[in-house]
Amino acid sequence: MPPPLDNTAIRPHDFLKHGLMVVGFNSFIGLVLALNRSGPWQVQMIYSQAIGLSIWALMDFGRLVVKINPQTGWPEGWRRFALQGGAIFLGYLAGSTIGDALNDRPLLDMWRMAPRAMLSYLLMCIAVSAAISFFFYARGKDQMRLRQLAAAQRDAAENQLKLLESQLEPHMLFNTLANLRVLIALDPPRAQTMLDQLIAFLRATLSASRATLHPLSAEFARVGDYLELMKVRMGDRLQPAFNLPPELAALPVPPLLLQPLVENAIKHGLEPHVDGGRLLVGARRDGDALVLTVRDTGAGLSETPADGTHFGLEHVRQRLATLYGEAASLTLAGAADADGGTLATVRLPWSPTE
């Protein structure tokens, strides 16, 4: 038994598009014939549509029963010429018969009355059909190349996102271990508690699936786990709060988007501040944008050390650019109210799940 045919390159809606284009070609040919020959134009139009659509149907649907090249959606070699030749000849006969019936003429009357004229019609059909089939062949090849290019670009973007995320997680882990090292010397019991929190945090995050997007509620939960870990070190100096409206909880966002901003707020804002402060993580809708904010009431931008690399912030910007282009942004500014501190704002395109 021969292997099953792989005709996945043929998409159903292509048949409709090809059929409508063939109707347009047939209409043009019918008008040209009506202008150059005597007789009602309706007769020429009926024959043109009947013959053209018959050839198209046999050729286009014939691709479903022959082996095709997935790069073009058409057969190659002798199969291509056999399909085209057979479709043109049989389609011409079938279309002529349909045209005779619709025009109330004896079937294949022209074959008997004017065989030379019928032969000239056949040669014209061969030329026109060959031109149209070459057009569809070239067009299908170009479209396949565009789809392959888009798929390659999409794969490259996904690989870039995975690389950036894989760089962020060790960065967070190294910072946490550095904090843990300091705490071991100062307060061993709290260091033990922090180590337990770190183990729980890693189980909850590193075992998660590497999805490109996950619900905003999962992102807030991940930040909450991280803040519980940091709270062991900072105690009451860290006062976290969350504002996630229920209607925004299911919106898809990139994973590890807020955690680097929270880490930056703690490292450069709250830890240098003697009294610590509040850390507010929020989400809201602003027109056609989803706005995520991380606000601290710590030292502020003016007190940020000049030697800071802001590794996490730069990676967040790169991931936003890879996923959304210019439609997303990350800004860092001093808070405008009397509490001071810093405000990090992420704007994403609004994309509800319903």
Side-chain angles (χ1 to χ4, degrees), residues 9 29 114 117 156 158 169 195 212 225 232 320 333:
I29 294 171
E158 290 177 357
E169 287 180 344
L195 182 59
T212 304
D225 292 337
V232 175
L320 291 177

Side-chain angles (χ1 to χ4, degrees), residues 71-72 135-145 147:
Q71 301 297 321
T72 62
F135 169 78
F136 285 141
Y137 174 82
R139 185 170 178 268
K141 197 170 185 178
D142 289 341
Q143 289 178 337
M144 180 60 66
R145 286 174 178 171
R147 287 195 292 269

Side-chain angles (χ1 to χ4, degrees), residues 1 7 17 29 32 40 54 79 92 95 108 116 118 136 172-173 180 217 225 239 246 258 270 290 318 333 345 354:
M1 177 178 293
N7 289 350
K17 290 169 59 179
I29 294 171
V32 172
S54 296
R79 290 184 178 85
Y92 184 71
L108 301 179
R116 289 187 178 181
M118 198 69 176
F136 285 141
M172 178 278 300
L173 181 59
L180 182 60
S217 58
D225 292 337
Q239 304 168 34
L258 293 177
L270 297 180
L290 171 64
Q318 290 182 34
T345 304
E354 61 271 11

Side-chain angles (χ1 to χ4, degrees), residues 23 28 47 49 80-81 97 115 118 121 124 132 136 142 148 159-160 192 227 229 242 260 290 307 328 330 347:
V23 169
F28 174 76
Y47 277 110
Q49 295 291 353
R80 177 184 170 193
F81 296 106
T97 302
M118 198 69 176
Y121 277 123
M124 182 183 67
I132 294 175
F136 285 141
D142 289 341
Q148 289 176 333
N159 290 335
Q160 175 71 4
Q192 179 64 47
L227 288 175
L229 181 62
F242 296 92
L290 171 64
D307 60 350
L330 166 62
R347 295 182 67 89

